[in-house]
Amino acid sequence: MTALNLNSIRKDIEERAIIEFNGAPVIKLIFNNQPFNPSNEINFIQFLVEFTNTEYLTQINTNNFNNLSGLITINIFSKIGVGLGTNLTMAQRIRNLYNRVKLNDIFFEPSSGPTVIQNAAPEGYFQSVMSISFEVLESL
């Protein structure tokens, strides 16, 4: 492996979600720096990929290795006033996609959440949030 391409890592992570949520039932996905004006009539998921930490690994061998860590933050929005079920179903689909999975040298940890957010932003939705940590080993 050579130096990591952060856009390739982000693309791999996001494409997995796109493929899943283009299947029935279709759910709108919103990514970083993407304009979106929500309608209270649709459920949607805000999907944010962040790179959080890099460590130089010296215990593996004499080669140069870095461990890149990241976090996926997923905000799940469903119609208000119809209960928690739809929101939890979307969360389960996300959990099934990434829970302890290896995808193109990206290792995903078990998810955290979903945790209910009391004051949804934007208003008019029931919101929960979950997060998934990931790591990528880089060989230089």
Side-chain angles (χ1 to χ4, degrees):
M1 182 186 293
T2 59
L4 294 175
N5 182 327
L6 299 181
N7 274 318
S8 294
I9 295 168
R10 178 200 50 80
K11 180 178 169 260
D12 288 345
I13 293 170
E14 290 177 355
E15 278 184 348
R16 188 165 176 88
I18 290 168
I19 291 167
E20 169 66 22
F21 288 100
N22 277 339
V26 175
I27 307 285
K28 177 75 175 167
L29 291 176
I30 310 303
F31 298 102
N32 285 351
N33 200 25
Q34 181 181 11
F36 178 66
N37 189 9
S39 160
N40 288 348
E41 299 302 314
I42 65 166
N43 299 324
F44 68 96
I45 298 171
Q46 182 185 44
F47 202 89
L48 309 170
V49 177
E50 303 172 75
F51 299 99
T52 57
N53 191 28
T54 302
E55 295 176 304
Y56 178 63
L57 303 177
T58 59
Q59 299 298 318
I60 296 177
N61 60 31
T62 57
N63 294 332
N64 293 326
F65 286 94
N66 292 331
N67 185 50
L68 173 69
S69 300
L71 182 70
I72 307 169
T73 302
I74 303 115
N75 289 294
I76 304 167
F77 298 90
S78 56
K79 295 176 187 173
I80 201 164
V82 295
L84 184 60
T86 301
N87 204 279
L88 290 178
T89 299
M90 290 189 284
Q92 185 64 47
R93 287 175 70 182
I94 293 165
R95 186 177 186 280
N96 291 346
L97 276 180
Y98 297 101
N99 192 35
R100 299 182 61 140
V101 169
K102 179 183 176 195
L103 171 69
N104 298 338
D105 296 323
I106 306 167
F107 300 91
F108 298 95
E109 300 292 333
S111 64
S112 173
T115 302
V116 173
I117 304 297
Q118 295 301 321
N119 296 316
E123 293 180 1
Y125 286 94
F126 181 81
Q127 179 183 358
S128 67
V129 64
M130 59 190 301
S131 60
I132 304 168
S133 298
F134 65 89
E135 294 184 349
V136 183
L137 188 64
E138 175 182 33
S139 172
L140 301 175

